[in-house]
Amino acid sequence: MTRLNRERVLRAAVALADESGIESLSMRRLAQELGVVPMALYKHVANKEQLLDGMVDTVVGEIDPPAPGSDWRAVVRQRILSARQVLLRHRWAYRVIESRTGPTPAVLEYLDSMIGVFRDGGLSVDLTHHVMHAMGSRLLGFSQELFDASGASGGAEPPDPALAQRYPRIAELAAAAAHDGDSVVGGGCDDQFEFAFALDLLLDGFERLRVQGWTPPVSNRAAPGAVRSRGAEE
């Protein structure tokens, strides 16, 4: 029997979540999967939250490292799409990443590496700062959709006539959209295309700003502590 260690515990937890869903994960269930008593797990993970942190790090560790290349956009695009493929293998992972109160060590390492790609590509510190905000969770391969379509029928059902009459533009768009039942964030539009489409728009826009030598507005450059309250300004 393979000796129990932290890596084995985390791999087993990831496999259990992949097979049965993150809702099924408990320390007792994990211990059963590993053939040990629950107390044996606490030598390697202090509690359920630490277990989830470790699972996030295990999943993020599967993302491909930056590929060599002089085109920073291609490097970023390849790595983000790699992150997306990881989430397709572990469909529960994005919800756990969102639930963390702070970034885990592997997420921090990943973000630090991505910042390095932007900076080495010629983006200024200021532009990189705003790029990271603009990218948000897309850096890790997922994005928040405007509507939760997880309960949608994938376009098979016709729209409610009353709603279509009241919101004709939404109905028009919904009727024309292709749908992907395996969307990372639930049923909705062609998830892969929409994700790559928005990613390419962002990367092209960042490159234009880099070439222009973009700098933030003066109002965004106020030194820490320099912002006064509205009452003081008045």
Short mmCIF file of all heavy atoms in Angstrom, two decimals, residues 143-167:
data_model
loop_
_atom_site.label_atom_id
_atom_site.label_comp_id
_atom_site.label_asym_id
_atom_site.label_seq_id
_atom_site.Cartn_x
_atom_site.Cartn_y
_atom_site.Cartn_z
N SER A 143 -14.81 32.81 -16.99
CA SER A 143 -15.34 34.16 -16.87
C SER A 143 -16.76 34.10 -16.33
O SER A 143 -17.45 33.09 -16.46
CB SER A 143 -15.33 34.88 -18.22
OG SER A 143 -16.14 34.19 -19.15
N GLN A 144 -17.17 35.18 -15.72
CA GLN A 144 -18.52 35.27 -15.20
C GLN A 144 -19.47 35.66 -16.32
O GLN A 144 -19.27 36.67 -16.99
CB GLN A 144 -18.59 36.31 -14.07
CG GLN A 144 -17.87 35.88 -12.81
CD GLN A 144 -18.49 34.63 -12.20
OE1 GLN A 144 -19.70 34.53 -12.09
NE2 GLN A 144 -17.65 33.70 -11.80
N GLU A 145 -20.53 34.87 -16.51
CA GLU A 145 -21.50 35.19 -17.53
C GLU A 145 -22.52 36.20 -17.01
O GLU A 145 -22.76 36.31 -15.80
CB GLU A 145 -22.22 33.91 -17.97
CG GLU A 145 -21.30 32.88 -18.60
CD GLU A 145 -20.60 33.40 -19.84
OE1 GLU A 145 -21.24 34.08 -20.64
OE2 GLU A 145 -19.40 33.12 -19.98
N LEU A 146 -23.11 36.95 -17.92
CA LEU A 146 -24.08 37.96 -17.54
C LEU A 146 -25.31 37.33 -16.88
O LEU A 146 -25.85 37.84 -15.92
CB LEU A 146 -24.51 38.76 -18.78
CG LEU A 146 -25.50 39.90 -18.56
CD1 LEU A 146 -24.94 40.92 -17.59
CD2 LEU A 146 -25.84 40.56 -19.89
N PHE A 147 -25.73 36.20 -17.41
CA PHE A 147 -26.87 35.48 -16.84
C PHE A 147 -26.45 34.05 -16.56
O PHE A 147 -25.66 33.47 -17.30
CB PHE A 147 -28.06 35.46 -17.82
CG PHE A 147 -28.56 36.81 -18.18
CD1 PHE A 147 -28.34 37.32 -19.46
CD2 PHE A 147 -29.23 37.60 -17.26
CE1 PHE A 147 -28.80 38.58 -19.81
CE2 PHE A 147 -29.69 38.86 -17.61
CZ PHE A 147 -29.48 39.35 -18.87
N ASP A 148 -27.03 33.47 -15.52
CA ASP A 148 -26.81 32.07 -15.21
C ASP A 148 -27.77 31.25 -16.06
O ASP A 148 -28.97 31.24 -15.80
CB ASP A 148 -27.04 31.79 -13.73
CG ASP A 148 -26.87 30.32 -13.37
OD1 ASP A 148 -26.40 29.56 -14.24
OD2 ASP A 148 -27.19 29.95 -12.24
N ALA A 149 -27.22 30.57 -17.06
CA ALA A 149 -28.07 29.78 -17.94
C ALA A 149 -27.98 28.29 -17.63
O ALA A 149 -28.30 27.46 -18.46
CB ALA A 149 -27.68 30.03 -19.41
N SER A 150 -27.52 27.97 -16.43
CA SER A 150 -27.31 26.56 -16.10
C SER A 150 -28.58 25.75 -16.16
O SER A 150 -28.55 24.54 -16.36
CB SER A 150 -26.70 26.44 -14.70
OG SER A 150 -27.53 27.05 -13.74
N GLY A 151 -29.73 26.40 -16.01
CA GLY A 151 -30.98 25.68 -16.09
C GLY A 151 -31.64 25.79 -17.44
O GLY A 151 -32.76 25.32 -17.64
N ALA A 152 -30.96 26.42 -18.39
CA ALA A 152 -31.56 26.62 -19.70
C ALA A 152 -31.60 25.32 -20.47
O ALA A 152 -30.87 24.38 -20.20
CB ALA A 152 -30.77 27.68 -20.49
N SER A 153 -32.42 25.29 -21.47
CA SER A 153 -32.60 24.05 -22.24
C SER A 153 -31.72 23.99 -23.45
O SER A 153 -31.91 23.17 -24.33
CB SER A 153 -34.06 23.94 -22.67
OG SER A 153 -34.44 25.07 -23.44
N GLY A 154 -30.74 24.88 -23.54
CA GLY A 154 -29.82 24.85 -24.67
C GLY A 154 -30.43 25.32 -25.96
O GLY A 154 -29.95 25.02 -27.03
N GLY A 155 -31.54 26.07 -25.85
CA GLY A 155 -32.13 26.64 -27.05
C GLY A 155 -33.15 25.74 -27.71
O GLY A 155 -33.74 26.10 -28.71
N ALA A 156 -33.42 24.54 -27.13
CA ALA A 156 -34.35 23.62 -27.75
C ALA A 156 -35.78 24.11 -27.62
O ALA A 156 -36.62 23.87 -28.47
CB ALA A 156 -34.22 22.23 -27.12
N GLU A 157 -36.09 24.79 -26.51
CA GLU A 157 -37.44 25.28 -26.27
C GLU A 157 -37.58 26.69 -26.86
O GLU A 157 -36.69 27.52 -26.73
CB GLU A 157 -37.73 25.33 -24.77
CG GLU A 157 -37.70 23.98 -24.09
CD GLU A 157 -38.87 23.10 -24.50
OE1 GLU A 157 -39.90 23.67 -24.92
OE2 GLU A 157 -38.75 21.87 -24.42
N PRO A 158 -38.72 26.98 -27.50
CA PRO A 158 -38.93 28.33 -28.01
C PRO A 158 -39.10 29.31 -26.87
O PRO A 158 -39.56 28.94 -25.78
CB PRO A 158 -40.23 28.20 -28.83
CG PRO A 158 -40.93 27.03 -28.21
CD PRO A 158 -39.85 26.09 -27.78
N PRO A 159 -38.71 30.57 -27.04
CA PRO A 159 -38.85 31.55 -25.97
C PRO A 159 -40.31 31.81 -25.64
O PRO A 159 -41.19 31.68 -26.50
CB PRO A 159 -38.18 32.80 -26.54
CG PRO A 159 -38.25 32.62 -28.02
CD PRO A 159 -38.15 31.15 -28.26
N ASP A 160 -40.56 32.14 -24.40
CA ASP A 160 -41.91 32.50 -23.98
C ASP A 160 -42.41 33.67 -24.83
O ASP A 160 -41.77 34.71 -24.86
CB ASP A 160 -41.90 32.87 -22.50
CG ASP A 160 -43.28 33.16 -21.97
OD1 ASP A 160 -43.90 34.15 -22.44
OD2 ASP A 160 -43.74 32.43 -21.08
N PRO A 161 -43.56 33.52 -25.52
CA PRO A 161 -44.02 34.60 -26.41
C PRO A 161 -44.22 35.93 -25.70
O PRO A 161 -43.91 36.99 -26.26
CB PRO A 161 -45.35 34.04 -26.95
CG PRO A 161 -45.22 32.56 -26.83
CD PRO A 161 -44.42 32.33 -25.58
N ALA A 162 -44.72 35.88 -24.46
CA ALA A 162 -44.95 37.12 -23.72
C ALA A 162 -43.63 37.82 -23.42
O ALA A 162 -43.51 39.04 -23.57
CB ALA A 162 -45.72 36.83 -22.44
N LEU A 163 -42.65 37.03 -22.99
CA LEU A 163 -41.34 37.62 -22.71
C LEU A 163 -40.68 38.12 -23.99
O LEU A 163 -40.03 39.17 -24.00
CB LEU A 163 -40.44 36.60 -22.02
CG LEU A 163 -40.80 36.23 -20.58
CD1 LEU A 163 -39.87 35.15 -20.05
CD2 LEU A 163 -40.75 37.47 -19.68
N ALA A 164 -40.83 37.36 -25.07
CA ALA A 164 -40.25 37.77 -26.35
C ALA A 164 -40.85 39.08 -26.83
O ALA A 164 -40.16 39.93 -27.41
CB ALA A 164 -40.46 36.68 -27.39
N GLN A 165 -42.14 39.27 -26.57
CA GLN A 165 -42.79 40.51 -26.98
C GLN A 165 -42.32 41.67 -26.13
O GLN A 165 -42.14 42.80 -26.62
CB GLN A 165 -44.32 40.37 -26.87
CG GLN A 165 -45.09 41.58 -27.39
CD GLN A 165 -46.58 41.37 -27.39
OE1 GLN A 165 -47.06 40.35 -26.88
NE2 GLN A 165 -47.31 42.30 -27.97
N ARG A 166 -42.10 41.41 -24.86
CA ARG A 166 -41.68 42.48 -23.95
C ARG A 166 -40.21 42.83 -24.13
O ARG A 166 -39.81 43.98 -23.98
CB ARG A 166 -41.94 42.05 -22.50
CG ARG A 166 -41.69 43.15 -21.49
CD ARG A 166 -42.15 42.73 -20.11
NE ARG A 166 -41.96 43.80 -19.14
CZ ARG A 166 -42.29 43.70 -17.85
NH1 ARG A 166 -42.83 42.57 -17.40
NH2 ARG A 166 -42.08 44.70 -17.02
N TYR A 167 -39.39 41.80 -24.41
CA TYR A 167 -37.95 42.02 -24.58
C TYR A 167 -37.53 41.50 -25.95
O TYR A 167 -36.84 40.47 -26.05
CB TYR A 167 -37.18 41.30 -23.47
CG TYR A 167 -37.66 41.63 -22.07
CD1 TYR A 167 -38.31 40.67 -21.30
CD2 TYR A 167 -37.46 42.90 -21.54
CE1 TYR A 167 -38.76 40.96 -20.03
CE2 TYR A 167 -37.90 43.21 -20.25
CZ TYR A 167 -38.56 42.24 -19.50
OH TYR A 167 -39.00 42.54 -18.24
#
